[in-house]
Amino acid sequence: MSPVFGSGLAKGLAVTLRTMTKKTVTAQYPDAQPELPPRSRGVIGLFEENCTVCMLCARECPDWCIYIDSHKETVPAAAPGGRERSRNVLDRFAIDFSLCMYCGICIEVCPFDALFWSPEFEYAETDIRDLTHERDKLREWMWTVPAPPALDPGAEEPKEIAAARKTADKLATAQSEASTPQEGES
């Protein structure tokens, strides 16, 4: 069967008429904030207390946009006769978001959960040099990180929680046995 002359034009005009009669759904951005999907990627937040300055994030970053400076500090012995320890202290943690490609490798390789995705996305600057955010700004974004999703109720209990619960139950039974008087005691 041969196509009818002008059928393509008629189909195109039908689509145009259908879309012309529908209400537009354009959201005017600054006035109406968009509904972001859960766990969306905005910027990277830093939980500074967990950072041990292991430098894994900076080494694994394909763009080399993470800058970390630190120094060693001597910690006195915890017990008498013990030896002093040294630990790394974070001096500078900065991310250059003009170079970052938001791959998330730094967050994945962090063994101490110091980096998280924040849904904040309004951090545009007029000068590209202002897109290097220091640890103070990264720490502010940490408080906008949403809580992780709830555990599956049908999932197996984590081993760590099960072991802690077992130990707590043993201590509770030992304390209750010690506090109840035995037969023959008054």
Side-chain angles (χ1 to χ4, degrees):
M1 181 166 141
S2 65
V4 178
F5 180 73
S7 64
L9 178 65
K11 287 180 184 177
L13 287 174
V15 170
T16 304
L17 287 173
R18 251 192 330 263
T19 55
M20 281 178 51
T21 58
K22 291 182 181 176
K23 187 174 179 353
T24 60
V25 292
T26 304
Q28 301 299 323
Y29 164 63
D31 300 328
Q33 292 293 323
E35 285 283 328
L36 297 175
R39 310 300 290 172
S40 59
R41 293 182 176 190
V43 295
I44 298 169
L46 171 68
F47 190 54
E48 197 173 332
E49 289 78 21
N50 285 359
C51 183
T52 60
V53 197
C54 66
M55 305 285 225
L56 277 175
C57 54
R59 282 193 303 246
E60 294 296 324
C61 180
D63 293 331
W64 292 85
C65 65
I66 299 175
Y67 310 109
I68 301 175
D69 292 329
S70 67
H71 69 275
K72 289 209 181 273
E73 191 174 86
T74 304
V75 179
R83 71 170 215 232
E84 295 179 336
R85 307 273 181 184
S86 66
R87 68 180 187 112
N88 290 330
V89 177
L90 185 65
D91 293 330
R92 179 180 186 225
F93 193 104
I95 299 176
D96 188 352
F97 285 104
S98 66
L99 296 175
C100 183
M101 64 180 184
Y102 303 92
C103 64
I105 293 174
C106 58
I107 295 169
E108 294 297 321
V109 300
C110 182
F112 300 104
D113 289 334
L115 298 173
F116 295 90
W117 283 115
S118 169
E120 293 293 318
F121 62 93
E122 296 173 315
Y123 57 95
E125 300 287 344
T126 55
D127 188 5
I128 196 167
R129 292 172 289 194
D130 294 334
L131 282 172
T132 301
H133 296 291
E134 298 292 330
R135 69 180 180 179
D136 295 333
K137 188 68 171 173
L138 299 174
R139 188 182 318 119
E140 286 177 28
W141 284 326
M142 185 59 210
W143 307 121
T144 62
V145 172
L151 297 175
D152 184 10
E156 183 178 306
E157 186 177 43
K159 295 174 195 159
E160 296 86 1
I161 294 175
R165 180 168 296 137
K166 187 176 179 182
T167 306
D169 290 343
K170 282 182 183 178
L171 287 173
T173 55
Q175 287 178 349
S176 65
E177 288 175 2
S179 64
T180 57
Q182 300 290 330
E183 286 183 32
E185 293 181 18
S186 38

mmCIF file of all heavy atoms in Angstrom, residues 46-68:
data_model
loop_
_atom_site.group_PDB
_atom_site.id
_atom_site.type_symbol
_atom_site.label_atom_id
_atom_site.label_comp_id
_atom_site.label_asym_id
_atom_site.label_seq_id
_atom_site.Cartn_x
_atom_site.Cartn_y
_atom_site.Cartn_z
ATOM 1 N N LEU A 46 31.542 17.220 54.024
ATOM 2 C CA LEU A 46 32.644 16.636 54.791
ATOM 3 C C LEU A 46 32.254 16.505 56.256
ATOM 4 O O LEU A 46 31.896 17.489 56.896
ATOM 5 C CB LEU A 46 33.896 17.507 54.671
ATOM 6 C CG LEU A 46 35.078 17.169 55.575
ATOM 7 C CD1 LEU A 46 35.683 15.828 55.158
ATOM 8 C CD2 LEU A 46 36.124 18.253 55.523
ATOM 9 N N PHE A 47 32.325 15.283 56.785
ATOM 10 C CA PHE A 47 32.146 15.037 58.217
ATOM 11 C C PHE A 47 33.551 14.959 58.802
ATOM 12 O O PHE A 47 34.176 13.906 58.846
ATOM 13 C CB PHE A 47 31.353 13.750 58.437
ATOM 14 C CG PHE A 47 30.913 13.554 59.851
ATOM 15 C CD1 PHE A 47 30.199 14.526 60.515
ATOM 16 C CD2 PHE A 47 31.209 12.389 60.524
ATOM 17 C CE1 PHE A 47 29.791 14.344 61.818
ATOM 18 C CE2 PHE A 47 30.815 12.190 61.824
ATOM 19 C CZ PHE A 47 30.094 13.171 62.478
ATOM 20 N N GLU A 48 34.040 16.102 59.228
ATOM 21 C CA GLU A 48 35.447 16.280 59.584
ATOM 22 C C GLU A 48 35.922 15.370 60.714
ATOM 23 O O GLU A 48 37.076 14.948 60.737
ATOM 24 C CB GLU A 48 35.668 17.747 59.977
ATOM 25 C CG GLU A 48 37.077 18.177 59.970
ATOM 26 C CD GLU A 48 37.194 19.667 60.189
ATOM 27 O OE1 GLU A 48 36.291 20.422 59.844
ATOM 28 O OE2 GLU A 48 38.244 20.068 60.739
ATOM 29 N N GLU A 49 35.040 15.036 61.644
ATOM 30 C CA GLU A 49 35.427 14.197 62.774
ATOM 31 C C GLU A 49 35.844 12.797 62.333
ATOM 32 O O GLU A 49 36.620 12.135 63.005
ATOM 33 C CB GLU A 49 34.286 14.107 63.788
ATOM 34 C CG GLU A 49 34.024 15.381 64.554
ATOM 35 C CD GLU A 49 33.256 16.420 63.748
ATOM 36 O OE1 GLU A 49 32.574 16.045 62.755
ATOM 37 O OE2 GLU A 49 33.351 17.601 64.077
ATOM 38 N N ASN A 50 35.318 12.328 61.204
ATOM 39 C CA ASN A 50 35.656 10.983 60.730
ATOM 40 C C ASN A 50 36.890 10.960 59.841
ATOM 41 O O ASN A 50 37.391 9.886 59.533
ATOM 42 C CB ASN A 50 34.480 10.380 59.955
ATOM 43 C CG ASN A 50 33.369 9.932 60.860
ATOM 44 O OD1 ASN A 50 33.457 10.043 62.078
ATOM 45 N ND2 ASN A 50 32.309 9.430 60.284
ATOM 46 N N CYS A 51 37.363 12.116 59.406
ATOM 47 C CA CYS A 51 38.496 12.156 58.479
ATOM 48 C C CYS A 51 39.794 11.862 59.229
ATOM 49 O O CYS A 51 40.137 12.531 60.203
ATOM 50 C CB CYS A 51 38.582 13.512 57.794
ATOM 51 S SG CYS A 51 39.892 13.612 56.565
ATOM 52 N N THR A 52 40.537 10.856 58.756
ATOM 53 C CA THR A 52 41.815 10.488 59.358
ATOM 54 C C THR A 52 42.992 10.926 58.496
ATOM 55 O O THR A 52 44.118 10.522 58.753
ATOM 56 C CB THR A 52 41.902 8.970 59.564
ATOM 57 O OG1 THR A 52 41.788 8.343 58.292
ATOM 58 C CG2 THR A 52 40.822 8.482 60.508
ATOM 59 N N VAL A 53 42.739 11.708 57.472
ATOM 60 C CA VAL A 53 43.753 12.210 56.543
ATOM 61 C C VAL A 53 44.514 11.047 55.905
ATOM 62 O O VAL A 53 45.726 11.060 55.786
ATOM 63 C CB VAL A 53 44.710 13.205 57.238
ATOM 64 C CG1 VAL A 53 45.477 14.010 56.200
ATOM 65 C CG2 VAL A 53 43.973 14.163 58.156
ATOM 66 N N CYS A 54 43.779 10.050 55.485
ATOM 67 C CA CYS A 54 44.412 8.895 54.830
ATOM 68 C C CYS A 54 44.745 9.197 53.374
ATOM 69 O O CYS A 54 45.492 8.461 52.742
ATOM 70 C CB CYS A 54 43.521 7.665 54.932
ATOM 71 S SG CYS A 54 41.966 7.808 54.027
ATOM 72 N N MET A 55 44.181 10.258 52.815
ATOM 73 C CA MET A 55 44.453 10.746 51.457
ATOM 74 C C MET A 55 43.929 9.832 50.358
ATOM 75 O O MET A 55 44.269 10.022 49.197
ATOM 76 C CB MET A 55 45.946 10.973 51.231
ATOM 77 C CG MET A 55 46.589 11.887 52.220
ATOM 78 S SD MET A 55 46.161 13.553 51.892
ATOM 79 C CE MET A 55 47.720 14.340 52.041
ATOM 80 N N LEU A 56 43.118 8.836 50.675
ATOM 81 C CA LEU A 56 42.584 7.959 49.635
ATOM 82 C C LEU A 56 41.711 8.724 48.652
ATOM 83 O O LEU A 56 41.772 8.486 47.448
ATOM 84 C CB LEU A 56 41.781 6.820 50.252
ATOM 85 C CG LEU A 56 42.577 5.624 50.729
ATOM 86 C CD1 LEU A 56 41.661 4.634 51.421
ATOM 87 C CD2 LEU A 56 43.285 4.957 49.581
ATOM 88 N N CYS A 57 40.906 9.640 49.157
ATOM 89 C CA CYS A 57 40.011 10.388 48.272
ATOM 90 C C CYS A 57 40.811 11.222 47.270
ATOM 91 O O CYS A 57 40.498 11.252 46.086
ATOM 92 C CB CYS A 57 39.064 11.265 49.075
ATOM 93 S SG CYS A 57 39.872 12.369 50.241
ATOM 94 N N ALA A 58 41.868 11.877 47.736
ATOM 95 C CA ALA A 58 42.677 12.719 46.849
ATOM 96 C C ALA A 58 43.451 11.868 45.843
ATOM 97 O O ALA A 58 43.609 12.258 44.683
ATOM 98 C CB ALA A 58 43.635 13.567 47.669
ATOM 99 N N ARG A 59 43.929 10.701 46.270
ATOM 100 C CA ARG A 59 44.689 9.842 45.353
ATOM 101 C C ARG A 59 43.813 9.212 44.287
ATOM 102 O O ARG A 59 44.249 9.006 43.159
ATOM 103 C CB ARG A 59 45.401 8.738 46.130
ATOM 104 C CG ARG A 59 46.655 9.217 46.821
ATOM 105 C CD ARG A 59 47.461 8.033 47.291
ATOM 106 N NE ARG A 59 46.693 7.164 48.166
ATOM 107 C CZ ARG A 59 46.950 6.955 49.449
ATOM 108 N NH1 ARG A 59 47.986 7.544 50.005
ATOM 109 N NH2 ARG A 59 46.217 6.158 50.167
ATOM 110 N N GLU A 60 42.586 8.855 44.633
ATOM 111 C CA GLU A 60 41.708 8.173 43.691
ATOM 112 C C GLU A 60 40.922 9.121 42.789
ATOM 113 O O GLU A 60 40.321 8.679 41.817
ATOM 114 C CB GLU A 60 40.721 7.277 44.444
ATOM 115 C CG GLU A 60 41.371 6.131 45.161
ATOM 116 C CD GLU A 60 42.047 5.140 44.233
ATOM 117 O OE1 GLU A 60 41.522 4.905 43.135
ATOM 118 O OE2 GLU A 60 43.105 4.614 44.609
ATOM 119 N N CYS A 61 40.917 10.401 43.101
ATOM 120 C CA CYS A 61 40.154 11.374 42.305
ATOM 121 C C CYS A 61 40.743 11.466 40.900
ATOM 122 O O CYS A 61 41.909 11.823 40.742
ATOM 123 C CB CYS A 61 40.179 12.739 42.975
ATOM 124 S SG CYS A 61 39.276 13.983 42.051
ATOM 125 N N PRO A 62 39.951 11.175 39.855
ATOM 126 C CA PRO A 62 40.490 11.235 38.491
ATOM 127 C C PRO A 62 40.785 12.655 38.026
ATOM 128 O O PRO A 62 41.572 12.851 37.105
ATOM 129 C CB PRO A 62 39.399 10.593 37.638
ATOM 130 C CG PRO A 62 38.175 10.629 38.455
ATOM 131 C CD PRO A 62 38.587 10.680 39.888
ATOM 132 N N ASP A 63 40.164 13.659 38.663
ATOM 133 C CA ASP A 63 40.383 15.053 38.265
ATOM 134 C C ASP A 63 41.403 15.776 39.130
ATOM 135 O O ASP A 63 41.724 16.929 38.854
ATOM 136 C CB ASP A 63 39.066 15.826 38.335
ATOM 137 C CG ASP A 63 38.081 15.350 37.320
ATOM 138 O OD1 ASP A 63 38.523 14.869 36.268
ATOM 139 O OD2 ASP A 63 36.874 15.439 37.582
ATOM 140 N N TRP A 64 41.863 15.152 40.189
ATOM 141 C CA TRP A 64 42.790 15.781 41.137
ATOM 142 C C TRP A 64 42.226 17.108 41.644
ATOM 143 O O TRP A 64 42.910 18.131 41.666
ATOM 144 C CB TRP A 64 44.164 15.974 40.503
ATOM 145 C CG TRP A 64 44.866 14.696 40.250
ATOM 146 C CD1 TRP A 64 44.726 13.883 39.161
ATOM 147 C CD2 TRP A 64 45.773 14.037 41.119
ATOM 148 N NE1 TRP A 64 45.503 12.763 39.296
ATOM 149 C CE2 TRP A 64 46.169 12.839 40.495
ATOM 150 C CE3 TRP A 64 46.302 14.339 42.369
ATOM 151 C CZ2 TRP A 64 47.056 11.950 41.064
ATOM 152 C CZ3 TRP A 64 47.184 13.458 42.937
ATOM 153 C CH2 TRP A 64 47.555 12.277 42.284
ATOM 154 N N CYS A 65 40.976 17.094 42.052
ATOM 155 C CA CYS A 65 40.334 18.335 42.504
ATOM 156 C C CYS A 65 40.200 18.409 44.021
ATOM 157 O O CYS A 65 39.598 19.339 44.541
ATOM 158 C CB CYS A 65 38.972 18.489 41.840
ATOM 159 S SG CYS A 65 37.771 17.236 42.298
ATOM 160 N N ILE A 66 40.757 17.457 44.756
ATOM 161 C CA ILE A 66 40.700 17.456 46.219
ATOM 162 C C ILE A 66 42.078 17.815 46.749
ATOM 163 O O ILE A 66 43.073 17.193 46.387
ATOM 164 C CB ILE A 66 40.255 16.079 46.759
ATOM 165 C CG1 ILE A 66 38.859 15.744 46.231
ATOM 166 C CG2 ILE A 66 40.264 16.063 48.277
ATOM 167 C CD1 ILE A 66 38.376 14.374 46.598
ATOM 168 N N TYR A 67 42.116 18.831 47.602
ATOM 169 C CA TYR A 67 43.377 19.306 48.172
ATOM 170 C C TYR A 67 43.352 19.083 49.684
ATOM 171 O O TYR A 67 42.456 19.567 50.368
ATOM 172 C CB TYR A 67 43.573 20.792 47.874
ATOM 173 C CG TYR A 67 43.373 21.118 46.416
ATOM 174 C CD1 TYR A 67 42.255 21.832 45.993
ATOM 175 C CD2 TYR A 67 44.281 20.689 45.456
ATOM 176 C CE1 TYR A 67 42.061 22.122 44.660
ATOM 177 C CE2 TYR A 67 44.095 20.973 44.120
ATOM 178 C CZ TYR A 67 42.987 21.691 43.731
ATOM 179 O OH TYR A 67 42.787 21.961 42.404
ATOM 180 N N ILE A 68 44.338 18.340 50.190
ATOM 181 C CA ILE A 68 44.399 18.023 51.617
ATOM 182 C C ILE A 68 45.779 18.375 52.142
ATOM 183 O O ILE A 68 46.793 18.008 51.550
ATOM 184 C CB ILE A 68 44.124 16.526 51.871
ATOM 185 C CG1 ILE A 68 42.744 16.138 51.347
ATOM 186 C CG2 ILE A 68 44.232 16.203 53.357
ATOM 187 C CD1 ILE A 68 42.444 14.669 51.440
#
